[in-house]
Amino acid sequence: MVSRLRYLLNQRLTRKQTLQIHACIIASSATHLEPLLVNQILLSAGNRAGSAIRYVELILLHVQASCAFSWGITVRFLSQNGRFGEACSLYGRMQRLGICSSSFAVSSALRACARTMDKNGGSSIHTQAHKLGFCACVYVQTALLDLYSRVGDMETAQRIFREMPEKNVVSWNSTLFGYVKSGNIEMARKIFDEIPDKDAISWNSMISGYAKVGDMEQAGILFKQMPERNSSSWNAMLSGYIDCRNIESARKLFDAMPQRSNVSWITMISGYSKCGEVDSARLHFDQMAAKDVLVYNAMIACYSQNSRPREALQLFNDMIKPNIDIFPDEMTFSSIISACAQLGDLQSGSWIESCMLRLGIRMDNQLTTALIDMYAKCGSIDKACELFNELSKKDVVSFSAMILGLGINGRAIDAVRLFDEMIEAGINPNLHTFSGLLTAYSHAGLVEEGYQCFKSMRTYGLMATVDHYGMMVNLLGRAGLIEEAYNLIASMPSQAHSGVWGALLLACRMHNNVEIGEIAATHCFELEPDRAGYYSLLANIYASAGLWANVKKIRKIMEDKGFIKVPGFSWVDS
DNA sequence: TGACGACCTC
């Protein structure tokens, strides 16, 4: 088994081979891996990144048997490959076992804390590094600077920067990035102007800083000024346009780019996704020659976010075909689980779960949150609750998912209780949280409570969206408060969409209100002329009021539009 | 080894 492992480690790995390594390591766990081999595995994994990441977790099980060196490089390896949470917890385990640290391990662990925004974890490593005398190492200093910059503690970052005996362009850039990230564009510019020898990263950071605050003009000026543009510079401009929802300018820039990296393509795909232009996104996707896992993830997310779950699943199927050598990762599964939730079908959900198991995907809190949503929408609310209680850290997303889940399963009281718990825990609600709450009130028919909840959104600094208004119209309308619902639409700060008017029309049908029903129907016809359902609803309203002449009129329109088959022309008849 | 830029869940 061990020799087979050695052989595989010297190959350029395909997905199949990586799975074989997986199997080998599992099989070897019974016999125990020797420390030297562990080191060899780690180093070869580090050189290969990508697919090799899959078996690192299994190596961690064996790393106890090896030396301080293997611990250090494993922390570094995880940190370099975006497995920040695991890097932090491994470093913690190292500490508890009393294994000797190194500047390698310290700077890697700090980097991991910076990326996960774990300020407390980072500070305690800082204290420890100080005691061990690692703070004289320039890499550790830069990692500390990066940590405090990222978590927004610019005061400490500045102090570390000032105390650095030798400042290089990396330390300047880290400071610059800190100000950019915290949105302090004036200070960022000040630092930028002071950098003695700016490199491409300095320019790019400043450009994306302007782009992030929506100042594309300044971004453009710097972009033109900079001596040597690389593909990141173009991408910074590109995502700036996307963030301002200026897809036209993004498109022009994309077409003018001298070279397009995968980042450029992904930025365009997700840009189209945000604007709901799914087909344009797919067109770009199809044009790409070398697609990696991130490109697939972007396209799958696009389908999932734009309510096209079947196509998301289809693309996932294409992705895992044996002739395509790509590994789905945690992000792929987040989107795919969301697609299954939209389908409301547990069967595809459990198929996905078995895929995850087979591929060795580790359950993290985000994936668990996606699963909570899926189980709740498929009606398995107890399973959803179970997963929610197991979360190691609950955030606004998981709370919102659970609140919505309880709401759609008719447990309004529990939903409200959970909301209170969330506020108690100091977590700020967002627009999704209120969608969940309003859904809960709506399902329970709690009109007054729902209305109070809707009004309370302002207290949290939130502006109700059209969808929230739609939910309120639904709630009021079902309770027969048609006039109130209509007045609410009239008071909306933005234009109502067909969902809002449709909800009102449906309420008018339930409560046979001809007058407002006609108004609602007129808006629905205008907004969605080709949807037959609205015409039927109005016809039914007329019918229930005995206005047969009007019923006839609507039926005539429906015939003219081809919604109703005229006898003699029917396919079935012929 | 370190600094910029892309993909995830409600």
Side-chain angles (χ1 to χ4, degrees):
Chain A
M1 194 57 76
V2 169
S3 58
R4 171 92 186 124
L5 202 49
R6 277 189 208 281
Y7 166 76
L8 285 169
L9 287 171
N10 290 319
Q11 308 296 310
R12 202 191 137 266
L13 298 187
T14 61
R15 183 165 66 198
K16 201 170 153 201
Q17 284 171 323
T18 309
L19 287 176
Q20 283 175 350
I21 292 191
H22 231 135
C24 277
I25 295 173
I26 292 171
S28 313
S29 66
T31 53
H32 203 78
L33 288 177
E34 34 178 321
L36 257 172
L37 185 62
V38 169
N39 284 347
Q40 194 193 339
I41 294 172
L42 290 169
L43 286 170
S44 93
N47 291 336
R48 236 190 319 266
S51 57
I53 196 80
R54 292 289 142 219
Y55 55 86
V56 161
E57 282 171 52
L58 288 156
I59 299 163
L60 296 187
L61 296 172
H62 302 278
V63 97
Q64 279 140 323
S66 50
C67 59
F69 175 73
S70 15
W71 283 85
I73 54 175
T74 309
V75 173
R76 198 188 94 206
F77 176 66
L78 290 168
S79 173
Q80 276 174 339
N81 285 282
R83 322 283 295 195
F84 303 119
E86 290 142 90
C88 287
S89 61
L90 189 70
Y91 188 79
R93 223 164 84 197
M94 214 171 142
Q95 299 305 295
R96 283 193 296 279
L97 291 170
I99 292 165
C100 186
S101 191
S102 62
S103 66
F104 264 94
V106 168
S107 56
S108 304
L110 284 172
R111 180 174 192 268
C113 289
R115 302 301 171 117
T116 51
M117 302 287 280
D118 181 5
K119 191 184 174 185
N120 292 337
S123 305
S124 65
I125 297 175
H126 185 176
T127 315
Q128 188 213 15
H130 196 73
K131 277 185 206 148
L132 294 169
F134 290 139
C135 284
C137 164
V138 66
Y139 286 103
V140 174
Q141 285 166 355
T142 320
L144 284 168
L145 182 54
D146 181 55
L147 168 79
Y148 291 107
S149 285
R150 278 179 190 272
V151 300
D153 182 355
M154 286 315 290
E155 223 170 284
T156 312
Q158 267 289 13
R159 205 195 62 222
I160 292 169
F161 183 62
R162 272 200 311 270
E163 287 168 5
M164 277 179 91
E166 272 180 73
K167 296 174 185 53
N168 58 24
V169 70
V170 179
S171 33
W172 278 102
N173 285 346
S174 291
T175 311
L176 169 63
F177 178 71
Y179 285 117
V180 163
K181 190 165 184 277
S182 56
N184 189 344
I185 199 78
E186 289 82 18
M187 269 309 283
R189 183 58 197 245
K190 197 167 164 279
I191 295 287
F192 177 76
D193 289 334
E194 279 176 45
I195 302 179
D197 27 31
K198 303 176 190 42
D199 65 1
I201 294 184
S202 330
W203 286 90
N204 294 347
S205 300
M206 197 63 234
I207 289 172
S208 71
Y210 280 122
K212 278 204 175 74
V213 296
D215 190 347
M216 287 310 289
E217 213 183 302
Q218 276 299 324
I221 292 172
L222 285 185
F223 181 69
K224 284 205 189 79
Q225 268 176 11
M226 75 181 285
E228 266 180 75
R229 285 177 280 273
N230 59 22
S231 87
S232 297
S233 330
W234 287 85
N235 292 336
M237 288 295 290
L238 197 60
S239 46
Y241 284 126
I242 298 285
D243 285 342
C244 322
R245 295 287 187 275
N246 188 345
I247 194 86
E248 263 318 301
S249 301
R251 175 76 211 219
K252 270 189 206 138
L253 191 84
F254 183 76
D255 289 339
M257 282 174 83
Q259 79 265 31
R260 301 185 188 105
S261 65
N262 274 14
V263 176
S264 332
W265 288 93
I266 292 168
T267 308
M268 279 313 282
I269 290 173
S270 73
Y272 280 122
S273 173
K274 281 170 195 143
C275 302
E277 292 184 36
V278 182
D279 298 326
S280 305
R282 181 62 198 238
L283 231 53
H284 277 68
F285 177 81
D286 288 333
Q287 279 173 31
M288 277 195 77
K291 301 183 186 74
D292 62 8
V293 61
L294 280 82
V295 178
Y296 272 91
N297 286 353
M299 195 58 227
I300 291 175
C302 173
Y303 281 130
S304 185
Q305 286 162 359
N306 285 282
S307 314
R308 288 164 67 161
R310 281 179 207 287
E311 284 145 295
L313 277 164
Q314 181 57 51
L315 192 59
F316 175 70
N317 248 321
D318 295 345
M319 182 180 177
I320 57 171
K321 276 183 187 149
N323 57 332
I324 295 185
D325 200 28
I326 291 177
F327 250 111
D329 64 8
E330 285 79 1
M331 299 227 184
T332 322
F333 281 100
S334 301
S335 296
I336 278 298
I337 294 170
S338 158
C340 292
Q342 290 169 43
L343 289 171
D345 139 43
L346 263 186
Q347 221 169 14
S348 39
S350 33
W351 173 65
I352 292 296
E353 273 199 281
S354 70
C355 276
M356 288 170 62
L357 212 64
R358 195 157 43 84
L359 291 166
I361 300 284
R362 207 182 60 104
M363 264 298 166
D364 58 18
N365 285 350
Q366 287 174 337
L367 275 174
T368 307
T369 303
L371 280 174
I372 290 170
D373 178 58
M374 186 191 82
Y375 280 115
K377 285 183 179 153
C378 295
S380 305
I381 187 67
D382 292 335
K383 177 79 187 165
C385 287
E386 208 177 285
L387 287 173
F388 182 73
N389 292 329
E390 281 169 16
L391 280 172
S392 64
K393 196 175 170 211
K394 300 178 175 74
D395 63 3
V396 63
V397 183
S398 48
F399 267 107
S400 304
M402 199 61 229
I403 289 170
L404 176 71
L406 289 166
I408 52 180
N409 283 280
R411 287 169 56 174
I413 307 289
D414 291 330
V416 177
R417 207 173 285 157
L418 195 62
F419 177 76
D420 293 338
E421 207 178 291
M422 176 179 139
I423 301 297
E424 198 90 347
I427 297 168
N428 282 329
N430 62 19
L431 292 169
H432 289 285
T433 322
F434 278 94
S435 299
L437 264 183
L438 290 175
T439 305
Y441 285 120
S442 193
H443 275 250
L446 296 165
V447 183
E448 188 49 40
E449 291 87 342
Y451 195 50
Q452 290 306 326
C453 166
F454 178 73
K455 283 199 291 194
S456 77
M457 287 179 74
R458 268 201 226 150
T459 340
Y460 296 99
L462 297 169
M463 272 267 286
T465 67
V466 183
D467 289 335
H468 295 97
Y469 276 93
M471 289 172 191
M472 272 317 292
V473 168
N474 185 25
L475 175 58
L476 293 167
R478 278 171 183 274
L481 301 165
I482 308 277
E483 295 248 347
E484 285 82 348
Y486 177 59
N487 290 337
L488 188 69
I489 297 180
S491 75
M492 278 177 67
S494 56
Q495 286 287 311
H497 58 44
S498 58
V500 181
W501 287 112
L504 184 65
L505 181 61
L506 190 71
C508 292
R509 165 70 191 100
M510 284 169 71
H511 298 281
N512 300 322
N513 186 320
V514 178
E515 193 192 336
I516 295 182
E518 279 179 333
I519 301 172
T522 312
H523 283 98
C524 288
F525 298 162
E526 235 169 66
L527 292 162
E528 277 188 294
D530 295 323
R531 214 156 129 183
Y534 297 137
Y535 292 90
S536 313
L537 279 171
L538 184 62
N540 286 331
I541 293 173
Y542 284 140
S544 62
L547 300 165
W548 300 109
N550 289 348
V551 175
K552 226 173 138 187
K553 229 164 56 192
I554 298 291
R555 286 192 70 86
K556 176 79 176 61
I557 298 173
M558 291 177 82
E559 272 169 27
D560 292 346
K561 281 186 167 272
F563 297 152
I564 302 177
K565 302 276 183 300
V566 180
F569 285 87
S570 160
W571 275 84
V572 181
D573 286 349
S574 62

